[in-house]
Amino acid sequence: MRGRADQVAPADGHAGGASPWAVRVLSHAGFEVRNLLRNGEQLLLTLILPALVLVVLSRTTLVRLETNGLPAIDVAAPGVLALAVMSTAFTSQAIATGFDRRAGALRLLATTPLGRTGLLGGKALGVLVMEVLQVLVLGSLALGLGWAPDLSGIGLALAAVLLGTACFTALALLLAGTLRAEAVLAGANLLWLLLVVGGGVLLPATGVTRFLPSGALGEALRTSLIGGPAAETALALGVLAGWTVIFTAATARWFRWQ
């Protein structure tokens, strides 16, 4: 999939000076969300494909889920939500940031009143806004297909989404800030595909896949939303937190703005 066209967000400001930092971050977050919604390829990756996967897993026999007696939709829905988080926080952000870096947009924005912290904050907030949209769309579709999540696990599921977002956004920035844009494009899509196929996102994680960031995210959402053992959810959240620390530290060390 190709990256978005190179664009630069205008700096928000008034005649008497720059807007407050929070206003600038909100403005940039809106810019990021609009870019995602206008990009057909990114919409395919973040909304349309997960919706199709949800229907295939819950209503066909093309892929057989290990459900342990649960309805297929109860196992499929958390996995698809994990896929949606990974698609938005990792693949979309890696490609967009990589091409922004090649075009010089990152370096330019870092010198505006938005600054580096505002730029990263706007990107993170944009990802969260997009994920809220994904949860609303995909969650509504899953409920229509008969999904009955365990409401007592909503808090843990939210923690999994936030940790997964932080983890995969940090990984996206690590790739985008160290590789050429073309390598980011190829690498992000290839890694996304490998994690989807064998990383424990959609299918219940086993063995070593439980300790991959993708498997940990998938397991945290599955166990929390089907009322699984609290110890398994805690282990998955701990693995996610560990990967988040590693990717964040690596990004802080090696990320290049140009």
Side-chain angles (χ1 to χ4, degrees), residues 12-175:
D12 239 2
H14 300 294
S19 305
W21 184 83
V23 174
R24 300 196 299 271
V25 170
L26 287 172
S27 177
H28 189 69
F31 170 79
E32 293 284 338
V33 173
R34 288 193 298 273
N35 270 333
L36 280 173
L37 293 177
R38 290 170 181 167
N39 190 317
E41 292 176 350
Q42 296 303 329
L43 279 179
L44 173 66
L45 184 68
T46 58
L47 279 175
I48 299 173
L49 183 59
L52 290 175
V53 170
L54 180 62
V55 174
V56 168
L57 291 178
S58 62
R59 287 291 183 267
T60 74
T61 58
L62 293 176
V63 178
R64 292 191 178 276
L65 290 175
E66 188 66 41
T67 64
N68 293 322
L70 295 169
I73 186 64
D74 286 354
V75 178
V80 168
L81 291 178
L83 171 64
V85 168
M86 196 173 74
S87 298
T88 299
F90 173 56
T91 317
S92 295
Q93 278 304 304
I95 294 172
T97 305
F99 279 89
D100 280 350
R101 175 169 165 257
R102 186 184 71 172
L106 292 185
R107 180 180 59 181
L108 174 61
L109 286 172
T111 63
T112 68
L114 181 64
R116 294 185 177 186
T117 57
L119 174 60
L120 295 177
K123 282 183 172 294
L125 184 57
V127 168
L128 289 174
V129 170
M130 190 63 193
E131 287 177 353
V132 169
L133 176 61
Q134 288 175 301
V135 169
L136 289 175
V137 173
L138 297 173
S140 297
L141 176 59
L143 290 173
L145 292 171
W147 184 34
D150 183 350
L151 297 182
S152 67
I154 294 296
L156 290 174
L158 177 60
V161 168
L162 292 176
L163 267 178
T165 300
C167 179
F168 282 103
T169 299
L171 177 58
L173 293 177
L174 178 61
L175 288 182

Side-chain angles (χ1 to χ4, degrees), residues 172-199:
L173 293 177
L174 178 61
L175 288 182
T178 55
L179 302 177
R180 293 173 60 88
E182 293 77 11
V184 174
L185 175 62
N189 281 314
L190 177 59
L191 184 55
W192 177 87
L193 181 61
L194 291 175
L195 291 178
V196 169
V197 172

Side-chain angles (χ1 to χ4, degrees), residues 200-221:
V201 181
L202 296 172
L203 304 179
T206 58
V208 69
T209 59
R210 297 170 64 90
F211 298 96
L212 296 175
S214 54
L217 176 57
E219 283 303 289
L221 285 173

